[in-house]
Amino acid sequence: MKKVSFFIWFAYFLLLLSAKASAQVEEAEANVYFELPQVALVDIEPDLDNSIHFSVNTSAESGESPFLELPANNDLWINYSSSLTTAQNSRSIVAEISQGDIPEGIRFYLEASTFSGAGGSGQVGQPSGRIELNSQPRPIITNIGNCYTGDGINNGHRLSFSIDVSDYSRVYSVDESSFVVLYTITDN
């Protein structure tokens, strides 16, 4: 009986000890901070030579209209990254002629393709279709949200350029005429 009584008291003591040990919970806190700055970056790839060359050539036969020689380098890609604040709706990329002039009688067009590439993610923009460029900013890609397109050629939107002669009576012979297309990512 003494052994049973000793065993009961010993078991009771162990229960009290384990209950007291499990009731002692330690807590600690750690503050975690997250920061993502607002980002709006745009780049034209391949970056080595982003020149586009057009020519208006005369025909070999008298009386025939001149013909446009398409550019040899029409393989430019626009890459961009965007992170918005909660108050912003979206962004757009606009293009304009920032330096130089398009020769008289010539119209210059730009078209961005739909997004393609394996390196991007998020709400990439929608192309605006074929637009005529001049010295006023015109949207070429709209509805850009939080995203990135990936870097380099074959990522983002391919840029296609074209020209046409709108008024041949105003086209004068020049050795070479050049102008610069400026791309800007803007808040809507």
Side-chain angles (χ1 to χ4, degrees), residues 86-117:
T86 55
Q88 292 173 299
N89 292 330
S90 64
R91 290 194 166 110
S92 296
I93 295 177
V94 298
E96 65 186 289
I97 305 300
S98 66
Q99 296 175 20
D101 293 311
I102 298 173
E104 286 195 45
I106 303 289
R107 290 191 175 158
F108 180 64
Y109 298 95
L110 171 62
E111 184 172 6
S113 70
T114 57
F115 169 78
S116 66

Side-chain angles (χ1 to χ4, degrees), residues 66 103-106 165-173:
E104 286 195 45
I106 303 289
V165 177
S166 60
D167 184 355
Y168 193 72
S169 68
R170 299 177 69 193
V171 177
Y172 292 96
S173 176

Side-chain angles (χ1 to χ4, degrees), residues 108-175:
F108 180 64
Y109 298 95
L110 171 62
E111 184 172 6
S113 70
T114 57
F115 169 78
S116 66
S121 182
Q123 182 185 329
V124 296
Q126 301 299 315
S128 300
R130 184 177 183 230
I131 62 160
E132 182 179 354
L133 285 184
N134 54 37
S135 61
Q136 299 299 314
R138 302 276 317 271
I140 61 168
I141 301 170
T142 60
N143 201 30
I144 299 170
N146 293 323
C147 68
Y148 60 95
T149 60
D151 188 34
I153 59 172
N154 300 319
N155 287 305
H157 303 263
R158 184 178 183 174
L159 300 176
S160 297
F161 303 89
S162 59
I163 62 171
D164 66 5
V165 177
S166 60
D167 184 355
Y168 193 72
S169 68
R170 299 177 69 193
V171 177
Y172 292 96
S173 176
V174 294
D175 286 335

